[in-house]
Amino acid sequence: MSTFRSLQQVRPANIIGGAVFAGLGVALYSRYMVTNAHADSGAPKKIFSGGLANVSLRLESSEEVNHNTKRLRFQLPEADNIAGFGLTSSILVFSWPEGRIFPVVRPYTPISSPNEPGVVEFMVKHYAAGKQSTHLHSLSPGSSLRFLATLKGFAWKPNQYPHITLIAGGAGITPAYQLIQGILQNPSDQTKITLVYGVNTDADVLLKPEFDEFAAKFPERFRYTYTVSNPVPGSVYRKGYVTEELLREVMPKEKDTKVFVCGPPAMEEALVGKRTKGGVLERLGYGKDKVHRF
Ligand SMILES: Cc1cc2nc3c(=O)[nH]c(=O)nc-3n(C[C@H](O)[C@H](O)[C@H](O)COP(=O)(O)OP(=O)(O)OC[C@H]3O[C@@H](n4cnc5c(N)ncnc54)[C@H](O)[C@@H]3O)c2cc1C
Ligand SMILES: *[C@@H]1O[C@H](CO)[C@@H](O)[C@H](O)[C@H]1NC(C)=O
């Protein structure tokens, strides 16, 4: 069960473990280092610009944001380094939890800006019995964590579409947030963005202050709708799931668009459909070629 569809594809890294991964990485790593050695010395060094990173970073702070989610902020090796990842990326986190035979490798999506000096930040949801998420939630400031490599997602090109829609469920908000922040922080990217964010309860809404700020700063370009399936009494949010009716109401009228989806399996299946059966998005005119699942 995953909010992030490619979890299964990434899982084998866990089984293969450190040995094979390290072997595979050595060649890439040396190549990466060589490339970097020739980089312009005036530009800040990018730690996660692509391929192997293999750095151990110190945890600067760990902040609880709700009942199951923490924000973890790590220091880059030097204060003037930047994360430097491209939109959209995730980073493979390696750990060897005590008492385990195999190390654990899982991808996490940075939510700090790729250009922010000195730090990289993640938002991690804890799953009961989840190996990596339990390890990450157990870390206290000052401890260190190894980051193996950057995984590229959808290769975003500015102004490729006039208007995009992002549909996120629960903790699946991180890739949507990374893309939205990246687009709005790039003055030469004029893409308009509609975000639809579905969660179970009011307490599960993540990054609200950040999205509120974007909406206030870019009222012509960014708008969002939150919907809560089990709202508390007096909730300020709309009630219900991300339905066809809701999407019909809030999605852009431009048809030359792209839809990005990242949510729990039931949500993604309802929206995107199964192999043989189309989902809500297809009925709304967004065939599979117009939909990207993070
Ligand atoms: C590209 C990509 C980006 C990702 N970005 C983020 C991110 O920014 N933040 C984040 O928190 N996670 C993110 N994930 C998910 C993350 O990689 C892990 O899958 C997640 O933290 C669970 O790993 P674990 O080792 O704790 O659980 P595991 O040990 O793999 O799983 C143990 C048990 O936990 C439960 N479980 C685990 N994962 C889920 C799930 N997703 N939904 C429901 N139950 C589950 C299941 O019962 C499972 O059997 C991302 C995944 C991908 C593929
Ligand atoms: C990563 O770094 C560690 C410690 O510096 C080193 O032992 C390991 O061989 C490196 N792995 C790769 C793939 O370069």
Side-chain angles (χ1 to χ4, degrees), residues 123-190:
M123 201 164 65
V124 178
K125 176 177 173 183
H126 181 241
Y127 295 98
K131 293 186 263 306
Q132 193 72 290
S133 62
T134 300
H135 179 71
L136 295 179
H137 273 239
S138 78
L139 296 176
S140 35
S143 46
S144 57
L145 186 69
R146 185 156 291 276
F147 295 84
L148 290 182
T150 309
L151 299 180
K152 294 207 161 111
F154 183 86
W156 177 255
K157 288 195 216 78
N159 307 310
Q160 201 177 350
Y161 311 99
H163 197 150
I164 59 168
T165 304
L166 296 113
I167 309 174
I173 194 68
T174 51
Y177 181 76
Q178 185 190 101
L179 183 56
I180 293 168
Q181 171 173 249
I183 291 172
L184 295 177
Q185 282 181 350
N186 179 358
S188 58
D189 194 338
Q190 288 302 310

Side-chain angles (χ1 to χ4, degrees), residues 18 21-27 29-30 52-56 146 148:
F21 194 90
L24 181 113
V26 170
Y29 186 52
S30 352
L52 214 77
N54 194 31
V55 284
S56 173
R146 185 156 291 276
L148 290 182

Side-chain angles (χ1 to χ4, degrees), residues 2 11 46 71 78 82 98 100 104 142 146 154 157 163 190 204 206 241 244 249 256 262 280:
S2 174
R11 272 249 172 94
K46 298 174 176 181
R71 274 174 95 129
E78 304 291 338
I82 59 171
E98 238 181 85
R100 289 208 177 268
V104 186
R146 185 156 291 276
F154 183 86
K157 288 195 216 78
H163 197 150
Q190 288 302 310
D204 296 320
L206 299 169
Y241 292 104
E244 186 170 341
E249 186 188 320
D256 177 20
C262 187
V280 164

Side-chain angles (χ1 to χ4, degrees), residues 1-11 14 68-70 89-91 100 104-111 122-137 151 153 171-175 262 264-265 294:
M1 297 287 287
S2 174
T3 296
F4 300 87
R5 189 173 75 100
S6 40
L7 180 65
Q8 288 83 350
Q9 295 158 15
V10 175
R11 272 249 172 94
N14 182 22
N68 58 22
T69 305
K70 284 187 176 180
S89 296
S90 59
I91 298 173
R100 289 208 177 268
V104 186
V105 177
R106 301 277 186 275
Y108 293 88
T109 310
I111 58 163
F122 299 88
M123 201 164 65
V124 178
K125 176 177 173 183
H126 181 241
Y127 295 98
K131 293 186 263 306
Q132 193 72 290
S133 62
T134 300
H135 179 71
L136 295 179
H137 273 239
L151 299 180
I173 194 68
T174 51
C262 187
F294 278 120

